[in-house]
Amino acid sequence: MNTAFRPGLALARDFHAEAVAPLLDRVLAGTPYAAALLGWGSEVQGFDTPRSTDHAWGPRLQVFLAPADHRAHAAALTALLDRELPERFGGYPVRFAFPGGTAPRHWVDVLDTGAHFAAQLGEVPDGGLPVGGWLAAPWQVLRELTGGAVFHDGAGVLTSYREHLRWYPDPVWRYVLACQWQRLHQEEPFVGRCGEVGDDLGSAVTAARQARELMRLCLLMRRVYPPYGKWLGSAFAALPEAAELAPLLSGALAARGWRERERQLSPAYERVARLHNELELTEPLAPEVHPFYERPFLVLGAERFCAALLATVGDPELAALPPVGSVDQYADSTDLTAHGFADRRRRYLARPGGPVN
């Protein structure tokens, strides 16, 4: 690991200003372009550390052009960059191999703006996305397209696309929140029920699932797209309620026995219920846990929050859907929800018997 670590966004910003922009000006001669660091990589999310530099690391960015300009200039620009970019910048190699076993190359990718966004989302977000587009867009992909930094945007198109994707339209947000409450509802009593029959492992697994869903719910409430597993805890820790909730969720995961798990999860449920009330998206709902029918298990009754939110959605297309939610809420495969798999998602979702067929 490099001891003189620099965050990747800062490295990319200087790389653009000092090494890339002068070359762009020579080839493009006034043609509008955008330069940014978006997409994959912990540095795009601001979560990079010295550990991040052990592979796929170095000065990199993307150059975005309009379709006609991309056709006219991409080949010449790529050739110029290949010839004239320095060997090293900021202490790091400019050319590196990723994935392993491939030939090293520079990582200034010259892209068609609309085609790039369509490859990630299945369509160009000009003015936003339709309901189906929003629900098929994974949270991690939305984070990658709206995260990072834009260093220059001559035409404003890249900035416009990013603003359109910054957060869900209000009806979609309410629907996705409702579906996240539904996920909590589905397993609330199982921490106790598993433990009661001697299945402590099943109880612990269910508690961990509930902890994850609570973390994702809090992020959605705060209008933050939840990242994939590696960075979920890091993103959650930045929320104002994390100082109160993190010890409870950690306590539930460390507990020995279902009763202790319930003692930790119950106040966590109640805190998140109060956060829902603070948002004033619905009429206030009772935030206290209560027994599950006549059984000795405490639950919040998360289905109440789902129903209350669904009643406020307003959009007929969303209102007609079951409380299943966005792709991250009914699919848990990185091979479906990761960067660059829009065509795969479209084929899966539209297959006979698929979720949106």
Side-chain angles (χ1 to χ4, degrees), residues 324-348:
V324 174
S326 71
V327 63
D328 290 277
Q329 294 172 303
Y330 58 76
D332 201 16
S333 169
T334 300
D335 289 329
L336 186 69
T337 60
H339 171 96
F341 291 157
D343 287 344
R344 183 179 295 177
R345 287 191 296 275
R346 186 178 293 276
R347 291 195 301 271
Y348 170 78

Side-chain angles (χ1 to χ4, degrees), residues 185-207 210 257-262 265 269 292-299:
H185 158 65
Q186 290 163 348
E187 299 194 0
E188 278 188 88
F190 298 164
V191 170
R193 182 60 173 144
C194 288
E196 185 184 54
V197 299
D199 180 13
D200 193 64
L201 178 59
S203 173
V205 168
T206 302
Q210 292 296 88
W258 73 265
R259 291 179 177 82
E260 179 58 26
R261 293 184 191 105
E262 183 178 87
L265 283 174
Y269 288 140
F292 181 67
Y293 295 102
E294 302 301 319
R295 298 181 179 184
F297 316 131
L298 294 178
V299 298

Side-chain angles (χ1 to χ4, degrees), residues 82-249:
D82 196 46
R83 289 194 309 270
E84 300 200 19
L85 282 174
E87 290 302 310
R88 299 182 68 84
F89 183 88
Y92 296 95
V94 168
R95 294 164 180 82
F96 54 90
F98 182 66
T102 60
R105 69 171 180 90
H106 73 76
W107 288 83
V108 181
D109 293 325
V110 183
L111 305 170
D112 176 325
T113 311
H116 178 74
F117 276 75
Q120 306 308 312
L121 299 168
E123 53 199 301
V124 178
D126 190 6
L129 295 171
V131 165
W134 279 115
L135 298 182
W139 294 328
Q140 180 65 28
V141 171
L142 291 168
R143 286 183 67 93
E144 291 175 358
L145 293 174
T146 59
V150 176
F151 311 129
H152 173 81
D153 191 0
V157 174
L158 178 63
T159 299
S160 173
Y161 286 179
R162 282 162 56 86
E163 285 302 314
H164 289 316
L165 296 173
R166 190 68 59 187
W167 190 244
Y168 291 125
D170 186 72
V172 179
W173 180 39
R174 290 168 183 263
Y175 172 73
V176 170
L177 280 176
C179 296
Q180 191 63 20
W181 280 109
Q182 182 72 359
R183 287 182 63 86
L184 281 170
H185 158 65
Q186 290 163 348
E187 299 194 0
E188 278 188 88
F190 298 164
V191 170
R193 182 60 173 144
C194 288
E196 185 184 54
V197 299
D199 180 13
D200 193 64
L201 178 59
S203 173
V205 168
T206 302
R209 286 170 57 88
Q210 292 296 88
R212 184 183 79 153
E213 301 309 335
L214 283 167
M215 293 165 68
R216 292 164 68 168
L217 177 57
C218 288
L219 287 160
L220 291 167
M221 285 180 167
R222 294 298 187 187
R223 297 178 174 86
V224 177
Y225 296 120
Y228 77 127
K230 181 165 64 168
W231 303 120
L232 179 60
S234 298
F236 176 74
L239 300 181
E241 52 276 359
E244 181 180 354
L245 283 170
L248 296 171
L249 299 180

